Amino acid sequence: KQKAICLSPFLECPPMGLESLKIDDFQLHASSTKRYGLGAHRGRLNIQAGLYEDDLYDGAWCAGRDDPLQWFEVDARRLTKFTGVITQGRNSLWSSDWVTSYKVMISNDSHTWMTLKNGSDDLIFRSNREKEIPVQNIFPTPVVARYIRVNPQSWFSSGSICMRVEILGCPMPDPNNYYHRRNEVITSDDLDFRHHTYKEMRQLMKVVNEMCPNITRIYNIGKSQGGLKLYAFEISDNPGEHEVGEPEFRYTAGSHGNEVLGRELLLLLMQFMCLEYLSGNQRIRHLVEETRIHLLPSVNPDGYEKAFEVGSELSGWSLGRWNNNGIDIHHNFPDLSSVLWEAEAKKLIPRKMFNHHVPIPEWYQSQNASVALETRALMAWMEKMPFVLGSNLQGGELVVTFPYDRTRSPGVTREQTPTPDDHIFRWLAFSYASTHRLMTDASRRVCHTEDFAKEDGTINGASWHTAAGSMNDFSYLHTNCFELTMFVGCDKFPHENELPEEWENNRESLLVFMEQVHRGIKGVVRDLQGRGIANAIISVEGINHDVRTAADGDYWRLLNPGEYKVTARAHGYASASKKCEVGYEIGATRCDFKIGRPNLSRIREIMEKFNRQPIKLQVRQLQTHRDLGAEEEEEEKLRLLTKTQQKTPHVSGLRELYSFFNR
């Protein structure tokens, strides 16, 4: 019987949206409830309970009594062709509750109910064998109704009646339906709205590259544990080249392979930018011409393939999250925040260690360290490219998080832990959240247990939950790049039919956040001959976190509007300071520096050249070389000074030097 059901020849309908929150809490009802936190509104597929289960946010609908008369009901609010049901047990660290079989009933008025039949007998659907792996049952024949009930018949012997549910259903045509019109989101963008396998992703990138060959490039940054290349897609008016003064931006996605919405959003973004550039969209043209943009849609392609093989509703909450070695790539980076805080406690900064570009510990670089191939590839990429701003897209929530992701106090799981750049991080987070269609909507339902809309859709990572070795903290402390995490949807793996709406939810946010790379100051640090100085340090007074110049001497420093005292310094050069003002409009303020070498620095260079040995050249010998050029004469002066540095001079020697320099 079960095989006959699963092999039904018709194509099942997509999920109605219990998991994605398309279905309101008011559309969910139950025969009884154990307590409010286990009410019908919690009976959504893949919903997660809090660490400490309470009366508000628990991990399933649980009946108030354990008997075969209990039911969980969904009001579709219009006639719907129902084709199947997906169930899970209760998400809980402490309890084991799941339903092992159930009946299905339908109604058009919520009073008269008809049970699905198998001939003359009620049809019994076999359900879960444990609490987390979803089980799908397809009806032998689609049924049309407005209401549908799941009626548990048996459950785990040591547990209770608890369920998380998704209903598969296709709304019947009804142009007069108010609820449908209110919730309908339509996109006008002609893009490829579907889930892509690894090969399909690669082919799509190739198609977009061929459409826009002058502004795009495909390259790879390394390989996954399973041997798949990690493909990046560049969008720039000069692909493959870093242009002096032009900031570099990155979006990454799919570090957790089963959180696939970010992956598809980046594939949609590259299509959108190519098409809009070709059509003459001035906003997109300005972004492309003034920014070098990198999109890495699949950091963990091995994990994605596992989740994709099972499907969007059946992959559960964790299948494919980790790489092939079982490593969580996003939290696999070295814990540099602890290194920095320990150095601060020992007062080693800035005497022995900088407040930025914190070095990677030796233990992390050893062969025995549990470092994923994907993580090593990301780190090499991040060190190679002078990224200024970036974001990694994840799923399962609607919130933007920013560093630090680790709490500073030992043993504390939640604690506000701001960086020295907390103000600009908060603005960057808000720029995405406030332009998202749902993140800051105070009336929206929480995804799981946290109401982030109260905080404008943003949160400091450590005040949510502590996590050592995150990509965000590593990027901030080891490179110049300010990195944030965007949780772009409650549903980690939305059905294909939901992708157009998710694109509309996130499209403006994706563009606005990219534009923030042009906020603050930028410039070039040069020597007196006009050559760019690499690795010059840019300090902003009052902010205990510096950045460095790139190979050509150019730099970018993200700042909120205001007036700042900025200092540029480099090894062997005198420092220089100036006031730089940042306005409210988008467009970084130009703040260049020209720094020269002090005499002492030049003396030290010459001393190094001669291995710190005295140069046996008498002052009187110089009398025969008065026809030297200015540069050669200066060299002779410095050589004499080198001599005085190497051995204690006596008064007569000083007099000779003094008389020589004053001729």
Coordinates of all heavy atoms in Angstrom, one line a residue, residues 196-198 201 221-231 252-260 262-263 266 296-308 318-332 372-375 377-378 392-394 471 493:
H196 N 19.7 24.7 -8.6 CA 20.7 24.2 -9.5 C 21.6 23.2 -8.9 O 22.2 23.4 -7.8 CB 21.5 25.4 -10.1 CG 20.7 26.4 -10.8 ND1 19.9 27.3 -10.2 CD2 20.5 26.6 -12.2 CE1 19.3 28.1 -11.1 NE2 19.7 27.7 -12.3
T197 N 21.8 22.1 -9.6 CA 22.9 21.2 -9.2 C 24.2 21.8 -9.4 O 24.3 22.9 -10.0 CB 22.8 19.9 -10.0 OG1 23.1 20.2 -11.4 CG2 21.5 19.2 -9.9
Y198 N 25.3 21.2 -9.0 CA 26.6 21.7 -9.2 C 26.9 22.0 -10.7 O 27.4 23.1 -11.1 CB 27.7 20.8 -8.6 CG 29.1 21.2 -8.8 CD1 29.7 22.2 -8.0 CD2 29.9 20.7 -9.8 CE1 31.0 22.6 -8.2 CE2 31.2 21.1 -10.0 CZ 31.7 22.1 -9.2 OH 33.0 22.5 -9.4
M201 N 24.8 24.9 -11.9 CA 25.3 26.1 -11.4 C 26.5 26.6 -12.3 O 26.6 27.7 -12.7 CB 25.8 26.0 -10.0 CG 26.4 27.2 -9.4 SD 27.3 27.0 -7.8 CE 28.7 26.1 -8.4
I221 N 38.7 29.3 -6.5 CA 39.6 29.6 -5.4 C 40.2 28.4 -4.8 O 41.0 28.5 -3.8 CB 38.9 30.5 -4.3 CG1 37.8 29.6 -3.6 CG2 38.2 31.7 -5.0 CD1 37.3 30.3 -2.3
G222 N 39.8 27.2 -5.2 CA 40.3 26.0 -4.6 C 39.3 24.9 -4.8 O 38.4 24.9 -5.7
K223 N 39.4 23.8 -4.1 CA 38.5 22.6 -4.2 C 37.9 22.2 -2.9 O 38.5 22.5 -1.8 CB 39.3 21.4 -4.8 CG 39.6 21.6 -6.2 CD 40.2 20.3 -6.8 CE 40.5 20.4 -8.3 NZ 41.1 19.1 -8.8
S224 N 36.8 21.6 -2.9 CA 36.1 21.1 -1.7 C 36.8 19.7 -1.4 O 37.6 19.2 -2.1 CB 34.6 20.8 -2.0 OG 34.5 19.8 -2.9
Q225 N 36.4 19.2 -0.2 CA 36.9 17.9 0.3 C 36.5 16.8 -0.7 O 37.3 15.9 -0.9 CB 36.3 17.6 1.6 CG 36.9 16.3 2.3 CD 38.3 16.5 2.7 OE1 38.7 17.6 3.1 NE2 39.2 15.5 2.5
G226 N 35.4 17.0 -1.4 CA 35.0 16.0 -2.4 C 35.6 16.2 -3.8 O 35.2 15.5 -4.8
G227 N 36.4 17.2 -4.0 CA 37.1 17.5 -5.2 C 36.4 18.4 -6.2 O 36.8 18.6 -7.3
L228 N 35.3 19.1 -5.7 CA 34.6 20.0 -6.6 C 35.2 21.4 -6.5 O 35.6 21.8 -5.4 CB 33.1 20.1 -6.2 CG 32.3 18.8 -6.2 CD1 30.9 19.0 -5.7 CD2 32.3 18.3 -7.7
K229 N 35.3 22.1 -7.6 CA 36.0 23.4 -7.6 C 35.0 24.4 -7.0 O 33.8 24.3 -7.2 CB 36.3 23.8 -9.0 CG 37.4 23.0 -9.7 CD 37.7 23.4 -11.1 CE 38.9 22.6 -11.7 NZ 39.2 23.0 -13.1
L230 N 35.6 25.3 -6.3 CA 34.8 26.4 -5.6 C 34.9 27.6 -6.6 O 35.8 28.4 -6.6 CB 35.5 26.8 -4.3 CG 35.6 25.6 -3.3 CD1 36.3 26.1 -2.0 CD2 34.3 24.9 -3.0
Y231 N 33.8 27.7 -7.4 CA 33.8 28.7 -8.4 C 33.3 30.1 -7.9 O 32.3 30.2 -7.1 CB 32.8 28.3 -9.5 CG 33.4 27.2 -10.4 CD1 32.9 25.9 -10.4 CD2 34.4 27.5 -11.3 CE1 33.4 24.9 -11.2 CE2 35.0 26.5 -12.2 CZ 34.5 25.3 -12.1 OH 35.0 24.3 -12.9
T252 N 29.5 35.7 -0.2 CA 29.6 34.2 -0.3 C 28.3 33.6 0.2 O 27.6 34.2 1.0 CB 30.8 33.7 0.6 OG1 30.6 34.1 2.0 CG2 32.1 34.4 0.1
A253 N 28.1 32.3 -0.1 CA 26.9 31.6 0.3 C 27.2 30.1 0.4 O 28.2 29.6 -0.2 CB 25.7 31.9 -0.6
G254 N 26.4 29.4 1.1 CA 26.5 27.9 1.1 C 27.6 27.3 1.9 O 28.0 26.2 1.7
S255 N 28.1 28.1 2.9 CA 29.1 27.4 3.8 C 28.4 26.3 4.6 O 29.0 25.3 4.9 CB 29.7 28.4 4.8 OG 28.6 29.1 5.6
H256 N 27.1 26.4 4.9 CA 26.3 25.3 5.3 C 25.5 24.8 4.1 O 24.7 25.5 3.5 CB 25.3 25.8 6.4 CG 26.0 26.2 7.6 ND1 25.5 27.3 8.4 CD2 27.2 25.9 8.2 CE1 26.3 27.5 9.4 NE2 27.3 26.7 9.3
G257 N 25.9 23.6 3.6 CA 25.4 23.2 2.3 C 23.9 23.1 2.2 O 23.4 23.1 1.1
N258 N 23.2 22.9 3.3 CA 21.7 22.7 3.2 C 21.0 24.1 3.3 O 19.8 24.1 3.2 CB 21.2 21.8 4.3 CG 21.5 22.4 5.7 OD1 22.4 23.1 5.9 ND2 20.6 22.1 6.7
E259 N 21.7 25.2 3.5 CA 21.1 26.5 3.5 C 21.3 27.1 2.1 O 22.2 27.8 1.8 CB 21.7 27.4 4.6 CG 21.4 26.8 6.0 CD 22.2 27.5 7.1 OE1 22.8 28.5 6.9 OE2 22.3 26.9 8.2
V260 N 20.3 26.7 1.3 CA 20.5 26.9 -0.2 C 20.0 28.2 -0.7 O 20.2 28.6 -1.9 CB 19.9 25.7 -1.0 CG1 20.4 24.4 -0.4 CG2 18.4 25.8 -0.9
G262 N 20.7 31.3 -0.1 CA 21.7 32.3 -0.4 C 22.4 31.9 -1.7 O 22.8 32.8 -2.5
R263 N 22.7 30.7 -1.9 CA 23.3 30.2 -3.2 C 22.5 30.6 -4.4 O 23.0 31.2 -5.3 CB 23.4 28.7 -3.1 CG 23.7 27.9 -4.4 CD 23.4 26.4 -4.2 NE 23.7 25.7 -5.4 CZ 24.7 24.8 -5.6 NH1 25.6 24.7 -4.7 NH2 24.8 24.1 -6.7
L266 N 22.5 34.4 -5.0 CA 23.7 34.9 -5.7 C 23.7 34.6 -7.2 O 24.1 35.4 -8.1 CB 25.0 34.4 -5.1 CG 25.2 34.9 -3.7 CD1 26.7 34.5 -3.2 CD2 25.1 36.4 -3.5
L296 N 30.7 34.2 -4.6 CA 31.0 32.8 -4.4 C 29.8 32.1 -3.9 O 29.5 32.0 -2.7 CB 32.2 32.7 -3.4 CG 32.8 31.3 -3.2 CD1 33.4 30.8 -4.4 CD2 33.8 31.4 -2.0
P297 N 29.0 31.5 -4.8 CA 27.7 31.0 -4.4 C 27.6 29.7 -3.7 O 26.7 29.4 -3.0 CB 26.9 30.9 -5.8 CG 28.0 30.7 -6.8 CD 29.2 31.5 -6.3
S298 N 28.7 28.9 -3.7 CA 28.7 27.6 -3.1 C 30.0 27.3 -2.4 O 30.9 26.7 -3.1 CB 28.3 26.5 -4.1 OG 28.0 25.3 -3.5
V299 N 30.1 27.6 -1.2 CA 31.3 27.4 -0.4 C 31.4 25.9 -0.1 O 32.5 25.3 0.0 CB 31.3 28.2 0.9 CG1 32.5 27.8 1.8 CG2 31.5 29.7 0.5
N300 N 30.3 25.2 0.1 CA 30.2 23.8 0.5 C 29.4 23.0 -0.5 O 28.3 22.6 -0.2 CB 29.7 23.7 1.9 CG 29.6 22.3 2.4 OD1 30.1 21.3 1.8 ND2 29.0 22.1 3.5
P301 N 29.9 22.8 -1.8 CA 29.1 22.1 -2.8 C 28.9 20.7 -2.4 O 27.8 20.1 -2.9 CB 30.0 22.3 -4.0 CG 31.4 22.5 -3.5 CD 31.2 23.2 -2.3
D302 N 29.7 20.0 -1.7 CA 29.5 18.6 -1.3 C 28.3 18.5 -0.4 O 27.4 17.6 -0.6 CB 30.7 18.1 -0.5 CG 32.0 18.1 -1.3 OD1 31.9 18.2 -2.6 OD2 33.1 18.2 -0.7
G303 N 28.1 19.4 0.6 CA 27.0 19.4 1.4 C 25.7 19.7 0.7 O 24.6 19.1 0.9
Y304 N 25.8 20.6 -0.3 CA 24.6 21.0 -1.0 C 24.1 19.8 -1.8 O 22.9 19.5 -1.9 CB 24.9 22.1 -2.0 CG 23.8 22.4 -3.0 CD1 22.7 23.1 -2.6 CD2 23.8 21.9 -4.3 CE1 21.6 23.4 -3.4 CE2 22.7 22.1 -5.1 CZ 21.6 22.9 -4.7 OH 20.6 23.1 -5.6
E305 N 25.0 19.0 -2.4 CA 24.6 17.9 -3.3 C 23.8 16.9 -2.4 O 22.9 16.3 -2.9 CB 25.8 17.3 -4.0 CG 26.4 18.2 -5.0 CD 25.5 18.5 -6.2 OE1 25.1 17.5 -6.9 OE2 25.3 19.6 -6.4
K306 N 24.2 16.7 -1.2 CA 23.5 15.8 -0.3 C 22.1 16.2 0.0 O 21.2 15.5 -0.1 CB 24.3 15.6 1.0 CG 25.6 14.9 0.9 CD 26.3 14.9 2.3 CE 27.7 14.3 2.2 NZ 28.5 14.4 3.5
A307 N 22.0 17.5 0.3 CA 20.7 18.1 0.6 C 19.8 18.1 -0.6 O 18.6 17.7 -0.6 CB 20.8 19.5 1.2
F308 N 20.4 18.4 -1.8 CA 19.6 18.5 -3.0 C 19.1 17.2 -3.4 O 17.9 17.0 -3.9 CB 20.5 19.1 -4.1 CG 19.8 19.2 -5.4 CD1 19.0 20.4 -5.7 CD2 19.9 18.2 -6.4 CE1 18.4 20.5 -7.0 CE2 19.2 18.3 -7.6 CZ 18.5 19.5 -7.9
S318 N 19.5 19.6 9.2 CA 20.9 19.5 9.2 C 21.6 18.7 8.1 O 22.8 18.9 8.0 CB 21.4 18.9 10.6 OG 20.8 17.6 10.8
L319 N 20.9 17.9 7.4 CA 21.5 17.1 6.3 C 22.2 18.0 5.3 O 21.6 18.9 4.7 CB 20.5 16.3 5.6 CG 21.1 15.4 4.5 CD1 22.0 14.3 5.0 CD2 20.0 14.7 3.7
G320 N 23.6 17.9 5.2 CA 24.3 18.7 4.2 C 24.9 19.9 4.8 O 25.6 20.7 4.2
R321 N 24.7 20.1 6.1 CA 25.2 21.4 6.8 C 26.7 21.4 6.7 O 27.4 22.4 6.5 CB 24.7 21.4 8.2 CG 25.3 22.6 9.0 CD 24.8 22.6 10.4 NE 25.4 23.6 11.2 CZ 25.0 24.8 11.4 NH1 23.8 25.2 10.8 NH2 25.6 25.7 12.2
W322 N 27.3 20.2 7.1 CA 28.8 20.2 7.2 C 29.5 19.7 5.9 O 28.8 19.2 5.0 CB 29.1 19.2 8.3 CG 28.5 19.6 9.6 CD1 29.0 20.6 10.5 CD2 27.3 19.1 10.2 NE1 28.1 20.7 11.6 CE2 27.1 19.9 11.4 CE3 26.3 18.2 9.8 CZ2 26.0 19.6 12.3 CZ3 25.2 18.0 10.7 CH2 25.1 18.7 11.9
N323 N 30.8 19.8 5.8 CA 31.5 19.4 4.7 C 31.7 17.9 4.8 O 31.2 17.2 5.7 CB 32.8 20.1 4.5 CG 33.9 19.6 5.3 OD1 33.7 18.9 6.4 ND2 35.2 19.8 4.9
N324 N 32.4 17.3 3.8 CA 32.5 15.8 3.8 C 33.3 15.3 5.0 O 33.2 14.1 5.3 CB 33.2 15.4 2.5 CG 32.2 15.2 1.4 OD1 31.0 15.5 1.5 ND2 32.6 14.7 0.2
N325 N 34.0 16.1 5.7 CA 34.8 15.7 6.9 C 34.0 16.0 8.2 O 34.5 15.9 9.3 CB 36.1 16.3 7.0 CG 37.1 15.6 6.1 OD1 36.8 14.6 5.5 ND2 38.3 16.2 6.0
G326 N 32.7 16.4 8.0 CA 31.9 16.7 9.2 C 32.3 18.1 9.9 O 32.0 18.3 11.1
I327 N 32.9 19.0 9.1 CA 33.3 20.3 9.7 C 32.4 21.4 9.3 O 31.9 21.5 8.1 CB 34.8 20.6 9.2 CG1 35.8 19.6 9.7 CG2 35.2 22.0 9.6 CD1 37.2 19.8 9.1
D328 N 32.0 22.2 10.3 CA 31.2 23.4 10.0 C 32.1 24.5 9.5 O 32.9 25.1 10.3 CB 30.5 23.8 11.3 CG 29.6 25.0 11.1 OD1 29.8 25.8 10.2 OD2 28.7 25.2 12.0
I329 N 32.1 24.7 8.2 CA 33.1 25.6 7.6 C 33.0 27.0 8.2 O 34.1 27.7 8.4 CB 32.9 25.6 6.1 CG1 33.1 24.3 5.5 CG2 33.8 26.7 5.4 CD1 32.7 24.1 4.0
H330 N 31.8 27.5 8.4 CA 31.7 28.9 8.9 C 32.4 29.2 10.2 O 32.8 30.3 10.5 CB 30.2 29.3 9.0 CG 30.0 30.7 9.3 ND1 30.3 31.8 8.5 CD2 29.6 31.3 10.5 CE1 30.0 32.9 9.1 NE2 29.6 32.7 10.3
H331 N 32.5 28.1 11.0 CA 33.1 28.3 12.4 C 34.4 27.5 12.5 O 34.8 27.1 13.5 CB 32.1 27.8 13.5 CG 30.9 28.6 13.5 ND1 29.7 28.1 13.1 CD2 30.7 29.9 13.9 CE1 28.7 29.1 13.3 NE2 29.3 30.2 13.7
N332 N 35.1 27.4 11.3 CA 36.3 26.6 11.3 C 37.6 27.5 11.2 O 38.7 27.0 11.0 CB 36.2 25.6 10.1 CG 37.4 24.6 10.0 OD1 37.9 24.4 8.9 ND2 37.7 24.0 11.1
A372 N 39.3 22.5 7.4 CA 38.7 22.0 6.1 C 39.5 22.6 4.9 O 40.0 23.7 5.0 CB 37.2 22.4 6.0
L373 N 39.5 21.8 3.8 CA 40.1 22.3 2.6 C 39.3 23.6 2.1 O 40.0 24.5 1.6 CB 40.0 21.3 1.5 CG 40.9 20.1 1.5 CD1 40.6 19.1 0.4 CD2 42.4 20.5 1.5
E374 N 38.0 23.6 2.3 CA 37.2 24.8 1.9 C 37.7 26.0 2.7 O 37.7 27.1 2.2 CB 35.7 24.5 2.1 CG 35.2 23.4 1.2 CD 35.3 22.0 1.9 OE1 36.1 21.8 2.9 OE2 34.6 21.1 1.4
T375 N 37.9 25.8 4.0 CA 38.3 26.9 4.9 C 39.7 27.4 4.5 O 39.9 28.7 4.4 CB 38.4 26.4 6.4 OG1 37.2 25.8 6.7 CG2 38.6 27.6 7.3
A377 N 41.0 27.3 1.5 CA 40.8 28.0 0.2 C 40.2 29.4 0.5 O 40.7 30.4 -0.1 CB 39.9 27.2 -0.7
L378 N 39.2 29.5 1.4 CA 38.7 30.8 1.7 C 39.7 31.8 2.3 O 39.8 32.9 1.9 CB 37.5 30.6 2.7 CG 36.2 30.1 2.1 CD1 35.2 29.8 3.3 CD2 35.5 31.2 1.2
N392 N 28.4 36.9 4.2 CA 28.1 35.5 3.9 C 26.6 35.3 4.1 O 26.0 35.7 5.2 CB 28.9 34.5 4.7 CG 28.8 34.7 6.2 OD1 28.0 34.2 6.9 ND2 29.7 35.6 6.7
L393 N 25.9 34.7 3.2 CA 24.5 34.5 3.2 C 24.2 33.1 3.8 O 24.7 32.1 3.3 CB 23.8 34.6 1.8 CG 24.1 35.9 1.1 CD1 23.4 35.9 -0.3 CD2 23.8 37.1 1.9
Q394 N 23.3 33.1 4.8 CA 22.9 31.8 5.4 C 21.4 31.8 5.5 O 20.7 32.7 5.1 CB 23.6 31.7 6.8 CG 25.1 31.6 6.8 CD 25.7 31.3 8.1 OE1 25.2 30.6 8.9 NE2 26.9 31.8 8.3
M471 N 33.8 33.1 10.5 CA 34.4 33.8 9.4 C 34.3 35.3 9.5 O 35.2 36.0 9.1 CB 33.5 33.4 8.1 CG 34.0 33.9 6.8 SD 33.1 33.2 5.4 CE 33.8 34.1 4.1
F493 N 15.8 25.7 2.9 CA 15.7 25.1 1.6 C 14.3 25.3 1.0 O 13.5 24.4 1.0 CB 16.1 23.6 1.7 CG 16.5 23.0 0.4 CD1 17.4 21.9 0.4 CD2 16.0 23.5 -0.8 CE1 17.8 21.3 -0.8 CE2 16.4 22.9 -2.0 CZ 17.3 21.8 -2.0

